[in-house]
Amino acid sequence: MRFTHARRVRASEEPMSTPLLVRSLDSLLPRSAREFGGKAVGLAALVQGGFPVPAAHVVSSRAALETFERVLPSHLQPAQLLSARPVDEQALAQAQKRVLAATLDAELQQALSKAFAALRASDADEVAVRSSSTAEDQDAVSAAGLHHSVLDVRDEAQLFDAVRHCWASVFHPRVASYLQALGAERVGAMGLVIQAMVPADSAGVLMTVNPLSGDPAQMLISASYGLGTAVTDGSVTPDSYCVDKVSGWISDRVLGDKARRLVLGPEGGLRSESVPTELARKEALDEYALGRLIEVGRRIEQYFGDARDVEFAFVDDELFILQARPLGLGFGATNAARPSRRPTAHARDGRSIVWSNVNVGEALPGVATPLTWSVLSDFSELGFRQAFAALGCKVPREARLVGSFRGRIYLNLSELVEIGSQVPGVRPTSVLPLGGGAEVERLELALPRRGSAGYLLRLPAIAARFASSNLGLASRLQAFETRFGEERARIEALDLRILPAAALDQTLSDVRRLLDEAGAILLTNYGGLLAALLPLRAALRLLSGARADGELQTLLSAIEEVEAALPGRELLSVAEAFARDVAARELLLGSEAGALSGRQALTAIEGLGACAARDAFATFLSRHGHRGVREAELSEPRWREDPGLLIDALRLHVKHAGSEPARRLEQRLLELRKGADQALSSYPAPLRPALSTLLSLVRRSLRTRERLRSHVVRILGFFRIIALDVSRRLRVREPEVGPDAAFFLNLPELHGVLRSERTAVLSRVALRRRQYERERSLPDPPDTFVGYPPPLSSEPLDHADETLRGHAAGPGAVEAKARVLRSVGELAKLEPGEVLVVPSADVGWAPLFVLAGALVTERGGPLSHACVVAREYGLPAVVNVSGATRRIESGDRLRVDGDSGVVQVLSRG
């Protein structure tokens, strides 16, 4: 075998000419090894812990400092260069050139030669020379990937040259700016690790905490064939595994393409080569390797007491740990050690858990950024617990109610249903259809048998508490809205650019408090909604049988004063103002209008001068500019930032809608209200008062829910503007971090950045950004699955089935051509009256609903926000139609029956 770490250099065999500058790794004591740099300290700790680390020697940072002192004039010394603001890149280049041309000290050369010989004696044919700065691999400062490493060093001349190149990386402008922003001590203190090269068969990275969701109960593994460099630099798409840390159960696995691998060339250097197709289709790690890696990953986290980013390699079946740096702020010992759920139950039942994003995926489709996940997962967990507590249900402290799969948010239906079943009569068959849930029969069978005596004994206290909270809801809402109005005015008046970090940190805490308060009221309202809706639905099923769901949609149509429906209705009035104004109409429909972006069009509208069209649009933005598509995702711009969808919708309205579209919509809504009144009057007279009371309660709760949802979206907008300003501050300190860095931090980390000017985030943000982009490149997992998503998540196209079924969500039936839109960027293709077929639709899509003839979505339930809006516009709607955007193509002629939940393909376009 070309390489083995079985024989390591003993301390007595160390090079003796400069014993304090070059030492063997296994003679190094981590607590007194700071001068050798962060990478060396981490590796020494791994060796001391008995982990399988390749043989290595380390070089003290004093060797670099002494060389800089000898070969560089005073004005090119690292400390002097970094004192200049901005950094003088020309001076840095001069310093780099001098260091690369320097002759190493004779004693240092001798010590390096002896270290190299010792490594060769351990059967290492090649070595890697890796930078080990004293400013890297710390809890708050990573600097990972900033400095230089030289791989596949085969002789002494290459070794000396590699040492110079690593030292010269101190003078790279990126490194200099990073260290300058941190105010790093001992600038230029660059240690080195000279380590046996591992000719890996497969390699990659293990993170002991999921870096995207921040879930401390999950580990994430990325692996591919060949050297791990191809994984860490993103040049291959690796296999990825999400692992339950407690049980070792792999909850998700995604096969990467692994088309190429990086290997050691026979004549030296690295070589990229094709991976045979049959091999690429296999996983890079077999079950034995995965099990070994998971076990070592758990031990590493336990040994260090915090979350770690672990680089590993396998040669044959032998595992080597190449590095284990701290994963970063926010993943400290407390989080890493905290179990998020009961080990035995979830280890035993994990493969039978039903996960679904049918409803939550409508509010937040696609991959969530880490900041969004951090805010909304905590919000959801807290909210569910409060809601269940209000119903008198006991929620296990360790229960995991929300999860992340491939970056998408899912609800644990098994856990939610089991907790909810503590209320007598609440079963999956009665609750899940309201939210669009699936696997109802499986969930029914899995429910434990429980008596209701204990709950009934507590019922008087539960009922009193429930009645008190719901009867006082109106006054609580009014008090909150008064406080929220004051806080909103205060926050919107702040100039975040000049706000001290401590004040911005306090503002972030204030916004979190607002979100929790709004959420508590929202969930109290949800309890009242279900308390009225469940008996109303049960009564309709007794009275109308199979027609009950359609009858319910009719009764819930055209509810007046629903906040979520206002944007679409008011945009019609804006369109009428543009249609009446020649200059405004030309701006929208002129030959150059289509080339204007949303921001450019906004500027052009503002330049119209005083006119009804400009004033109407400004009023619309002041009322609804906080909304947008995917408005629960904090990184997405709001309408007031990018009104592109609004401008495109106005163009379509003005071009196609003709005169008085708002009046025509009001007439349609009037007819819907008459239809609802007629439906109610068709029931037996003795039952009408009770049904009418329940219906009034449901309608009022839905109005309140949409009103509160609007407040929540405004609050999420506050999180967004704070994150944008934190991103701006971070970019000043670390220019390469990008303009959106804060969205790749979690909430505790955001507070940490504002409380510490020395916190560095570049490597953490880069890591998560790569993971985020990887997750986005994957097809969505199924809306509902059991255990974990299938390895191949893309569902095959099925055009043979001409009948598609979902949930009835908006009454009425329409026959029209389909228009499949997968993003709002395709909006211009929509023609009035077409059936809008989309993966999901939140309130941000509402301006399109008044143009469409019907709505079909892949996600959502009858009570989702999009369905409430669709019913307000009298739009027949069917939701939760699996694979609709793949099974239907634009131009297909459809019949959409919003009463039965059936979509029929009448003919193919």
Side-chain angles (χ1 to χ4, degrees), residues 780-832:
D780 288 332
D783 297 333
T784 303
F785 56 84
V786 180
Y788 54 87
L792 297 177
S793 58
S794 56
E795 185 179 312
L797 296 178
D798 181 9
H799 293 289
D801 189 357
E802 306 294 339
T803 301
L804 290 69
R805 300 184 184 277
H807 291 296
V814 164
E815 291 185 13
K817 286 198 306 182
R819 177 61 60 185
V820 179
L821 301 182
R822 294 178 178 82
S823 73
V824 292
E826 302 172 321
L827 169 59
K829 300 175 182 177
L830 179 67
E831 297 285 339

Side-chain angles (χ1 to χ4, degrees), residues 32 53 66 92 129 137 208 236 266 381 574 592 611-612 679 889:
S32 58
V53 177
E66 290 173 3
L92 288 172
V129 180
D137 290 359
T208 65
V236 299
E381 284 274 356
V574 178
E592 297 182 2
C611 66
E889 294 184 0

